[in-house]
């Protein structure tokens, strides 16, 4: 995808978040994935990850997951990967060339990958991989 192209992929995170019902509308408005010429932007409530297209190494579909490892904002102790999860079915795992900040506000802890449980992860993985020539 060249910088002058206007192609945009926009997806909401898939399924209802496992939490209080009064929180659902807010999370639905403040959670999603955007991919455009400026880069990738993913957010779940107050947490977010943004990175330019040049920092994307590739994407693949992953899952199913164990519910206690898939719901909410999670840090993998094995590889420092970050998860923005709303269900245990399937998600999109995006790998970065250089780790990105995301789980804590100082940005000192950086993540080599992000898994987000979006709608249509196969479609978004294909578009992302095509956009970066992977």
């Amino acid at each position: 995808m060249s910088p002058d192209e206007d192609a945009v992929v926009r997806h909401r995170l898939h399924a209802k978040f496992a939490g209080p019902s009064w929180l659902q509308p807010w999370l639905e408005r403040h959670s999603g994935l955007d991919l455009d010429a400026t880069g990738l932007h993913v957010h779940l409530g107050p947490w977010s990850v943004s990175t330019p297209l040049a920092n994307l190494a590739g994407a693949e579909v992953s899952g199913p997951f164990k519910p206690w490892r898939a719901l909410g904002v999670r840090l993998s102790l094995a590889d420092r990967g970050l998860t923005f999860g709303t269900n245990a079915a399937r998600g999109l795992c995006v790998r970065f060339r250089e780790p990105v900040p995301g789980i804590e506000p100082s940005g000192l802890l950086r993540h080599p990958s992000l898994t987000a449980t979006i709608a249509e992860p196969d479609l978004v993985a294909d578009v992302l991989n095509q956009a970066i020539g992977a």
Side-chain angles (χ1 to χ4, degrees):
M1 182 181 308
S2 67
D4 57 335
E5 291 181 21
D6 292 329
V8 174
V9 173
R10 189 165 276 135
H11 276 277
R12 291 280 168 229
L13 288 183
H14 184 66
K16 296 277 186 195
F17 186 79
S21 60
W22 58 266
L23 191 56
Q24 297 296 334
W26 185 83
L27 278 173
E28 289 173 9
R29 285 191 309 275
H30 295 91
S31 301
L33 177 146
D34 294 322
L35 175 67
D36 59 26
T38 66
L40 176 73
H41 315 281
V42 186
H43 47 278
L44 176 60
W47 291 275
S48 65
V49 168
S50 291
T51 194
L53 287 178
N55 193 39
L56 300 176
E60 58 269 339
V61 176
S62 57
F65 312 105
K66 295 177 179 157
W68 59 90
R69 289 188 176 177
L71 300 178
V73 176
R74 306 275 307 196
L75 172 68
S76 167
L77 297 178
D79 66 359
R80 295 183 337 275
L82 183 60
T83 297
F84 290 173
T86 58
N87 71 72
R90 295 171 14 131
L92 174 73
C93 179
V94 180
R95 292 173 282 103
F96 306 113
R97 295 182 193 286
E98 294 293 325
V100 299
I103 199 167
E104 47 84 29
S106 74
L108 293 175
L109 183 59
R110 294 182 169 256
H111 313 285
S113 63
L114 169 68
T115 298
T117 56
I118 60 170
E120 302 180 281
D122 298 293
L123 173 66
V124 178
D126 288 345
V127 170
L128 190 148
N129 286 325
Q130 287 178 11
I132 64 170

